[in-house]
Amino acid sequence: MNRPTPIAAALFTLCSPLLQAQQTGGNPASASIATPAVLENVTVTGSRDDFNAPTVSITKLPADLHDVPQSVIVVDKALMQSQGATSLADALRNVSGITLGGAEGGQIGNNINLNGFPARTDIYLDGFRDRGQYFRDTFALDQVEVLMGPSSMLFGRGSTGGVVNQVTKKANLKESTEVTASATSNGLVRTTVDHNQPLTDTSALRVSAMAQDGAASTRDKTDLRDFGLAVSYALGIGSADEISLSALVQHNNDQVDYGLPPLNGHPVAVDRNTSYGLDNDRTQSNVIALNANIKHRIAPEVTLRSMTQFNYVHTDARETSPQSIGTVAAGVFTPLTGAIGAQPLSSLFVREQTHDRIITDYSISNQTELAAKIDAGGFAHDTLLGLEVSHDGYNNQTYFRDGTCNGVPMNASDATQSYVDCVPVVDPSFNAADTDLGSRRGNRAGGSANTIAVYGNDTMALNDRFKLVGGLRYDRFIVNISNTISSPASASQTVNFVSVRAGGIWQPTTAQAYYLSYGTSFNPSLEQLTGTAGQQSLEPEKNKSYELGGKWDVSQNLASNAALFQIRKDNARSQVAPGVYQLDGTVRVRGASAGATGRITRKWQISANYTYLNAQVIAASATDGTLGKVPINTPRHSLTAWNTYRLAPHWELGGGATYMAQRFANAANTTQVGGFTRWDATVAYLLPKVDIRLNLINLSNKMYYDALIQSDGGRAVPGNGRTAMLSLVYRM
């Protein structure tokens, strides 16, 4: 059992000075009680480069994390800038317990696993479900918040392993301008602008913009050409009535990396920069998000707010993936069914398959909440009552292309495999001859859903040290789906579910909190507005979690946390025969986590967290083939650590490690990806108005696999090779 060794090495290297540094820590900071108006100006606390974000923005949670009986990790703008993180995927590398999935089938964009469970539809934007399929950027974000554990009481369906909330930049009363420019050794050039302008004593306008062009990584076929614009307008700031309006518009023209196919139980052993596909592969996305918030302070401790968001994502994808490895004789491709033995890779070919589709996702949602701090029954209550109404729509039109292998057709006239060519496993060239293949219309999947939910949560202070947290949410989820070719041709489902949240908190001092919590969540079979034949009539999967943890302010600006938890899905969908599923599966994840974020000394700050996941399918049908297996893309150990140190008034040096244990790329656990440790570093010259920073990514040029795709036996996307990024930040 040598696998934890890299964790210990990384922790020791990065954090060994912690014992000496703790001698300089100050007294714990008292938790402040702020009015809603004050919360708009959180930037006044701490330095502009602090990693320790003071609050969370999710309105359903207390701003003070000591009052939240769950693990919460916040990745703020300062941490992202110090690492050169420009995408949501980059930001989430700071959260152990999260793994990345790649593009596959009808899904593209950001696909993540959280605590061992898929979380593609558990990504939120300012508290609203951001279910569109696209690649998210950080140019319009102030921070990213990750709430661990089932949270259907707070967010509705899904959220089995937790949720990811993106917090956009808001207009405020401090005039500021920030311009950034960066370039990487891969040829990616990027610039952003962020300007905030007060208009009156109570109103302001903020505009952020982004443009980038070039290769995203050292791998072939990863070119990006993206731009975005975000606008936020607020009036009534600091008054009893506040109104904020915001809009996000983004266009992506990207090449999606479908990774390497498996061979002999591992990703095929070719050069790390080898990629497969056609010359004109591209994914074009247009994103629009509109948000309107109205907040009325009825009394000093009573607030009514109504929040509405409209999301629209339209994606036109023309993509090609390596479907399987095999041999070619007389133009006929024969896939391998076992190990290749001594057969050289140079004699093998990859069969490529297109995934062409046009996807439209849209949602419109409203959340109306009444928040009040009251005294009742001899106890102090922090109470929230809410109503949520939403409508979601989905349309996915697929297309097929028919290609040849050495001149021999690869598909029958009515086939739906969409095989386009065969290329050598080693040193494949992008096939320009096949880029003009005609296409046939495939299945058109459609779906729509309506949700109405009511929820309530109360944090009751029994005395100065003990608090009880309890909440209920009732969801009515009505969904209809259809398919023109695939099964089922149509299906509908109405789900009524009550989610529960309960916890107890002991706060012996203002600097520490200990908690025990319980939560539930549910996953309808048509949750993603799509359906699998045989699953459309099943009841929702139900999940339960238990968590025991603590949170400590080690010093004035250093927060730490630790937790033990179990998440259990007791009625997981399990295949008992072709096209037949039952709710007789059980998936259990037992884990532990620990982390620390903030300043160890005035010059030295750190962000580090570790997660242990013991995940297993403990019940499944014999036909399903997953009994005793580890869920896809779930490492036993994961660690992320990053720290920076001011060497002199203007110089900063930093670095960190990312460690992840082995993972499986498919449900049968027949394709394995090895563990890895990646080291990054930074050096910066900092002035009051100018930052010049050099980031070095993957210092040792470690060959590792970043994202996993469970299709076709389990594909794996190699991570970025050694890369340098030079950036400049100018503030006015």
Side-chain angles (χ1 to χ4, degrees):
M1 300 299 291
N2 296 325
R3 294 173 189 159
T5 302
I7 299 175
L11 279 173
F12 180 80
T13 302
L14 293 169
C15 305
S16 58
L18 180 60
L19 294 177
Q20 294 93 333
Q22 284 182 347
Q23 297 175 3
T24 65
N27 293 326
S30 299
S32 61
I33 302 174
T35 65
V38 174
L39 290 180
E40 298 294 338
N41 298 316
V42 295
T43 53
V44 300
T45 59
S47 170
R48 62 174 171 83
D49 60 352
D50 278 352
F51 295 166
N52 190 16
T55 62
V56 290
S57 69
I58 300 173
T59 59
K60 298 179 179 69
L61 295 176
D64 187 349
L65 295 181
H66 293 81
D67 293 337
V68 181
Q70 281 178 274
S71 296
V72 180
I73 299 175
V74 179
V75 180
D76 69 359
K77 177 184 173 183
L79 178 56
M80 290 186 281
Q81 281 193 335
S82 74
Q83 297 174 331
T86 59
S87 68
L88 178 64
D90 290 340
L92 291 178
R93 297 182 204 280
N94 291 287
V95 184
S96 59
I98 285 184
T99 53
L100 302 179
E104 60 175 304
Q107 299 180 0
I108 58 175
N110 296 119
N111 297 288
I112 62 173
N113 273 31
L114 182 51
N115 285 335
F117 296 93
R120 194 196 71 77
T121 59
D122 298 324
I123 300 175
Y124 286 73
L125 183 68
D126 290 329
F128 287 88
R129 195 184 302 272
D130 184 22
R131 53 177 304 278
Q133 301 178 49
Y134 68 101
F135 295 96
R136 294 159 175 86
D137 200 277
T138 61
F139 82 96
L141 301 184
D142 263 337
Q143 61 188 40
V144 177
E145 303 163 346
V146 181
L147 178 64
M148 299 293 192
S151 304
S152 283
M153 183 268 131
L154 299 172
F155 298 98
R157 68 186 187 275
S159 65
T160 305
V163 299
V164 174
N165 183 47
Q166 306 161 90
V167 183
T168 59
K169 297 174 179 177
K170 306 295 192 304
N172 58 72
L173 297 179
K174 181 181 179 181
E175 183 176 358
S176 63
T177 300
E178 183 175 276
V179 180
T180 72
S182 64
T184 73
S185 55
N186 301 324
L188 180 64
V189 178
R190 175 184 172 93
T191 184
T192 67
V193 177
D194 179 25
H195 176 68
N196 186 82
Q197 180 64 55
L199 303 176
T200 68
D201 290 343
T202 60
S203 64
L205 177 69
R206 188 168 185 175
V207 179
S208 303
M210 172 275 297
Q212 62 182 4
D213 187 8
S217 77
T218 54
R219 284 178 49 74
D220 297 331
K221 280 179 59 67
T222 61
D223 285 346
L224 308 176
R225 183 170 295 172
D226 308 331
F227 60 84
L229 177 69
V231 180
S232 172
Y233 171 69
L235 66 157
I237 299 174
S239 68
D241 295 288
E242 299 184 37
I243 299 175
S244 63
L245 305 173
S246 64
L248 169 66
V249 178
Q250 185 175 315
H251 173 77
N252 294 352
N253 188 354
D254 305 333
Q255 290 182 301
V256 176
D257 195 342
Y258 270 75
L260 305 179
L263 185 65
N264 296 336
H266 298 277
V268 63
V270 294
D271 183 85
R272 71 184 309 154
N273 295 332
T274 301
S275 61
Y276 304 93
L278 304 183
D279 281 348
N280 65 346
D281 285 351
R282 84 286 186 274
T283 298
Q284 298 174 341
S285 297
N286 292 301
V287 181
I288 300 174
L290 307 175
N291 190 289
N293 290 347
I294 301 174
K295 183 163 60 175
H296 173 60
R297 194 162 65 248
I298 300 173
E301 301 292 352
V302 182
T303 301
L304 178 67
R305 50 183 173 251
S306 180
M307 303 162 287
T308 303
Q309 188 172 106
F310 171 74
N311 282 357
Y312 172 87
V313 180
H314 180 79
T315 299
D316 183 349
R318 183 182 174 96
E319 300 165 350
T320 309
S321 68
Q323 189 270 339
S324 58
I325 293 176
T327 59
V328 174
V332 177
F333 178 89
T334 303
L336 295 173
T337 57
I340 65 171
Q343 191 170 0
L345 285 179
S346 59
S347 67
L348 300 178
F349 290 80
V350 169
R351 179 167 62 187
E352 297 189 312
Q353 182 180 42
T354 62
H355 296 271
D356 298 354
R357 54 213 188 271
I358 297 177
I359 305 173
T360 301
D361 271 298
Y362 70 88
S363 302
I364 183 167
S365 305
N366 175 267
Q367 298 174 13
T368 300
E369 297 176 344
L370 178 67
K373 295 183 179 181
I374 59 176
D375 291 326
F379 302 105
H381 298 262
D382 193 342
T383 302
L384 176 73
L385 299 175
L387 169 68
E388 180 175 336
V389 179
S390 67
H391 173 75
D392 300 308
Y394 173 77
N395 188 289
N396 183 353
Q397 176 65 66
T398 61
Y399 296 88
F400 300 119
R401 281 182 282 163
D402 298 321
T404 62
C405 180
N406 294 343
V408 177
M410 302 187 72
N411 303 297
S413 59
D414 59 347
T416 60
Q417 292 93 345
S418 202
Y419 301 136
V420 291
D421 63 7
C422 56
V423 297
V425 168
V426 180
D427 294 328
S429 59
F430 299 149
N431 194 330
D434 287 344
T435 58
D436 294 326
L437 291 174
S439 63
R440 296 180 286 114
R441 187 181 293 266
N443 182 62
R444 179 175 179 176
S448 64
N450 295 311
T451 300
I452 183 168
V454 292
Y455 51 91
N457 187 77
D458 184 43
T459 300
M460 181 173 64
L462 301 179
N463 53 41
D464 292 340
R465 296 186 177 184
F466 292 95
K467 295 179 180 178
L468 297 179
V469 176
L472 293 173
R473 176 177 170 127
Y474 167 77
D475 277 272
R476 183 173 176 85
F477 178 63
I478 305 171
V479 58
N480 297 277
I481 68 166
S482 63
N483 292 283
T484 58
I485 296 177
S486 303
S487 295
S490 63
S492 61
Q493 191 176 63
T494 299
V495 174
N496 299 291
F497 197 86
V498 176
S499 303
V500 178
R501 181 172 182 253
I505 305 173
W506 175 46
Q507 298 173 333
T509 69
T510 57
Q512 54 185 319
Y514 305 90
Y515 63 88
L516 176 65
S517 65
Y518 167 79
T520 67
S521 67
F522 69 106
N523 299 104
S525 57
L526 305 182
E527 177 184 355
Q528 298 187 21
L529 279 63
T530 61
T532 299
Q535 296 185 4
Q536 65 270 23
S537 299
L538 296 179
E539 293 294 314
E541 296 177 320
K542 301 174 184 178
N543 316 287
K544 299 178 181 178
S545 77
Y546 304 88
E547 184 171 334
L548 174 67
K551 303 176 183 182
W552 305 271
D553 292 335
V554 180
S555 65
Q556 190 170 7
N557 196 29
L558 177 64
S560 62
N561 62 85
L564 301 172
F565 58 88
Q566 174 179 287
I567 305 173
R568 183 180 175 114
K569 185 186 292 288
D570 282 316
N571 59 337
R573 291 182 283 271
S574 179
Q575 186 174 12
V576 297
V580 180
Y581 292 81
Q582 293 180 358
L583 297 177
D584 60 0
T586 300
V587 181
R588 185 187 64 200
V589 177
R590 290 174 173 169
S593 63
T597 304
R599 292 189 176 276
I600 298 175
T601 68
R602 185 175 58 86
K603 296 182 178 181
W604 180 27
Q605 63 175 331
I606 188 170
S607 173
N609 52 86
Y610 163 77
T611 298
Y612 166 83
L613 297 174
N614 183 1
Q616 189 176 31
V617 178
I618 60 175
S621 69
T623 306
D624 190 82
T626 60
L627 181 62
K629 307 300 184 183
V630 177
I632 297 169
N633 209 357
T634 304
R636 180 67 64 95
H637 305 276
S638 59
L639 164 75
T640 177
W642 180 262
N643 60 175
T644 60
Y645 188 84
R646 283 289 185 100
L647 293 172
H650 301 299
W651 286 97
E652 180 180 88
L653 181 66
T658 300
Y659 169 76
M660 194 170 292
Q662 69 174 28
R663 297 164 286 161
F664 293 102
N666 60 358
N669 288 183
T670 57
T671 300
Q672 182 189 94
V673 173
F676 69 91
T677 301
R678 190 187 92 174
W679 295 89
D680 302 329
T682 186
V683 59
Y685 185 74
L686 308 177
L687 295 171
K689 291 188 176 183
V690 178
D691 295 349
I692 302 174
R693 182 177 296 277
L694 176 65
N695 286 92
L696 300 174
I697 301 165
N698 195 1
L699 281 170
S700 64
N701 204 29
K702 176 72 175 180
M703 174 59 179
Y704 70 98
Y705 295 95
D706 196 20
L708 302 185
I709 308 169
Q710 63 177 311
S711 299
D712 304 322
R715 296 192 298 274
V717 180
N720 203 4
R722 185 186 294 116
T723 301
M725 182 175 75
L726 183 64
S727 60
L728 182 145
V729 179
Y730 176 64
R731 289 173 294 274
M732 296 183 236

